[in-house]
Amino acid sequence: MSSDFRSLLTTFESATGSKNKVDLKQRPKKEMSLKELTNKLWRWSQIRQSTTKLRAGSPGRKSTEEPRPVHLAVCLCIVDKLTHENVWKDWIEQRNSQISAELYVHAKLPSSVTGAWTKSKLINVSHCPNWNDVRIVRAMLSLIEEALKDGKTTHVVFGTESCLPICPLDQVTDLRFGKSYLAYYGKSDATRFDERDVWDVLRVNMPLDCIHKALPGWCTLARDHAQEIIEMPSKHLEGKEFWNAFSHCWAPEEAFFPTALALLGLLHETECRSLTYAEWCEHKTSSDRAHPRAWDEDFDSKLVSSLRDTHKCIILRKVKNPIKLDKWRKITSAVVSSKRQSIATIETPDLKKSRPNLKNFPL
């Protein structure tokens, strides 16, 4: 039996859950490179995805899942200060029988964190990431591991210290179980900058077709999807850490999670939209285009209503300066109370600005 056929047979059996009944002689296992392992996983995921679609399309299959309470694990990466600590504390205390949330914080400088409530939410590890650093991915993975320890967690929601919830917790009503939310795109929609600093970098260690990018990179993962990403190195990559492949990738957190989901055959189970709204503006300095717009001067009920109704977002990035709790409550409650009113006159953010224009970066 050729090694190629043996590999294909093993991949098929693993993806479909069937077992080989023929007693094949076991040969000494050769250590595979990350590229070989991801190619094997990609083949496995394609078979898995195909068989899943077939089973889902079988006649007579009906969903029997009963509605369950939603529990959000809000996972924030900060330097040493949670800008909107008062708002997040109030937001999480709004829990009811149908929806609840908990906060998990990874700090670059945990010893410098002064807020008592934020301190109580710190996880016990710091990867000390810099800007545009793969250690941001490691921080996010550590946050996932901590969040999944709580059996109630249904979704993992990522953000930064400048992220701000834009609706009361009990207004988060459109999340689906088993569904992740990230606004992703593939190579066909990539910019020239993406091709050079993302796709060309990553293709060395994985199939080109599995590479994707999400903007913003602060996505929302369903519990099962988050669990599979955490288990991917041990289950599929012979213990090799997948994040290592993103060490020289631009904005690695934007590429890591959609690529991991694609490689696992799970990207088709996601909804291609983000629960966090961010917008990139044009600047004279090209390097500034990598930074999202700050909304401090524009944060009002009109903006929040637009983002909620048009984009179904629940978090805004970024609001750089602390906002008074009374002001936040007034703005968000005004939006809730005016839900039945027409929003025809509201100026909605330009979708073309929801991704950074990096085409003029020096190449």
Side-chain angles (χ1 to χ4, degrees):
M1 182 177 293
S2 70
S3 59
D4 287 344
F5 179 76
R6 185 190 300 271
S7 175
L8 183 60
L9 179 62
T10 302
T11 300
F12 179 80
E13 289 168 350
S14 174
T16 60
S18 61
K19 292 184 178 180
N20 176 31
K21 297 181 180 180
V22 180
D23 185 17
L24 300 174
K25 292 183 179 180
Q26 297 296 319
R27 297 182 179 179
K29 199 171 184 180
K30 178 185 175 183
E31 183 176 355
M32 301 175 71
S33 67
L34 184 59
K35 180 64 176 286
E36 291 172 322
L37 290 165
T38 54
N39 278 328
K40 180 180 178 181
L41 177 54
W42 183 242
R43 295 196 302 269
W44 174 87
S45 69
Q46 299 307 293
I47 297 171
R48 176 196 198 189
Q49 188 171 330
S50 298
T51 55
T52 300
K53 286 180 179 179
L54 286 173
R55 288 195 297 270
S58 301
R61 289 182 60 89
K62 295 182 179 179
S63 174
T64 57
E65 183 180 5
E66 294 293 329
R68 294 183 299 157
V70 171
H71 184 74
L72 306 178
V74 180
C75 296
L76 303 183
C77 292
I78 71 172
V79 178
D80 58 6
K81 182 181 179 181
L82 179 56
T83 305
H84 307 293
E85 181 183 61
N86 58 338
V87 173
W88 282 113
K89 187 174 186 294
D90 185 75
W91 193 76
I92 285 176
E93 290 174 351
Q94 296 170 8
R95 64 184 67 195
N96 58 39
S97 61
Q98 294 303 309
I99 188 162
S100 58
E102 186 54 87
L103 189 74
Y104 301 85
V105 178
H106 174 283
K108 177 180 179 179
L109 304 172
S111 61
S112 299
V113 175
T114 57
W117 188 75
T118 302
K119 271 187 176 181
S120 71
K121 304 301 179 181
L122 292 176
I123 63 173
N124 294 323
V125 63
S126 177
H127 297 284
C128 302
N130 294 317
W131 184 77
N132 195 29
D133 186 348
V134 74
R135 286 175 293 181
I136 296 174
V137 175
R138 297 189 66 188
M140 295 168 79
L141 293 174
S142 292
L143 285 165
I144 290 176
E145 290 176 335
E146 193 66 30
L148 293 183
K149 291 178 182 178
D150 186 343
K152 300 191 304 293
T153 297
T154 60
H155 296 81
V156 176
V157 184
F158 289 113
T160 70
E161 69 267 14
S162 63
C163 286
L164 180 70
I166 57 173
C167 66
L169 180 60
D170 62 6
Q171 294 298 310
V172 183
T173 58
D174 58 350
L175 294 188
R176 294 173 57 191
F177 289 101
K179 183 73 69 174
S180 293
Y181 298 85
L182 60 170
Y184 64 87
Y185 58 95
K187 189 176 186 300
S188 61
D189 294 315
T191 65
R192 185 182 173 197
F193 180 87
D194 286 334
E195 290 180 356
R196 192 199 72 171
D197 278 28
V198 180
W199 270 261
D200 286 351
V201 172
L202 297 179
R203 68 188 301 173
V204 175
N205 286 302
M206 64 197 71
L208 186 64
D209 289 342
C210 79
I211 302 170
H212 288 75
K213 186 173 179 177
L215 283 174
W218 307 98
C219 57
T220 297
L221 299 176
R223 180 188 183 93
D224 289 347
H225 293 171
Q227 187 72 56
E228 290 216 36
I229 290 173
I230 291 296
E231 295 175 349
M232 182 166 60
S234 60
K235 281 191 173 181
H236 303 290
L237 303 179
E238 297 183 355
K240 291 180 172 62
E241 294 291 351
F242 188 51
W243 59 260
N244 265 326
F246 295 77
S247 297
H248 303 291
C249 170
W250 177 269
E253 75 280 1
E254 295 175 355
F256 178 86
F257 290 99
T259 300
L261 289 170
L263 197 55
L264 288 163
L266 299 172
L267 197 58
H268 71 289
E269 297 180 6
T270 70
E271 191 164 327
C272 190
R273 68 178 177 94
S274 178
L275 300 184
T276 299
Y277 187 83
E279 185 176 297
W280 285 262
C281 297
E282 296 291 339
H283 291 283
K284 292 181 179 179
T285 305
S286 60
S287 60
D288 288 340
R289 295 184 187 137
H291 300 283
R293 171 182 175 179
W295 296 94
D296 296 66
E297 296 181 3
D298 302 295
F299 186 71
D300 57 18
S301 58
K302 179 182 286 190
L303 173 68
V304 171
S305 181
S306 172
L307 296 177
R308 288 289 294 140
D309 290 316
T310 306
H311 303 290
K312 297 183 179 180
C313 298
I314 64 174
I315 295 173
L316 176 62
R317 182 172 188 255
K318 60 187 179 177
V319 180
K320 296 172 64 175
N321 298 305
I323 184 171
K324 291 183 178 180
L325 183 58
D326 287 345
K327 178 182 178 181
W328 177 84
R329 285 175 175 169
K330 182 178 180 180
I331 290 173
T332 55
S333 62
V335 172
V336 173
S337 64
S338 63
K339 271 289 183 180
R340 293 186 177 89
Q341 298 179 9
S342 171
I343 60 169
T345 61
I346 294 176
E347 181 182 356
T348 60
D350 188 351
L351 278 174
K352 293 180 180 179
K353 295 181 180 179
S354 64
R355 57 189 293 183
N357 183 355
L358 301 172
K359 62 183 180 181
N360 294 323
F361 262 63
L363 295 178

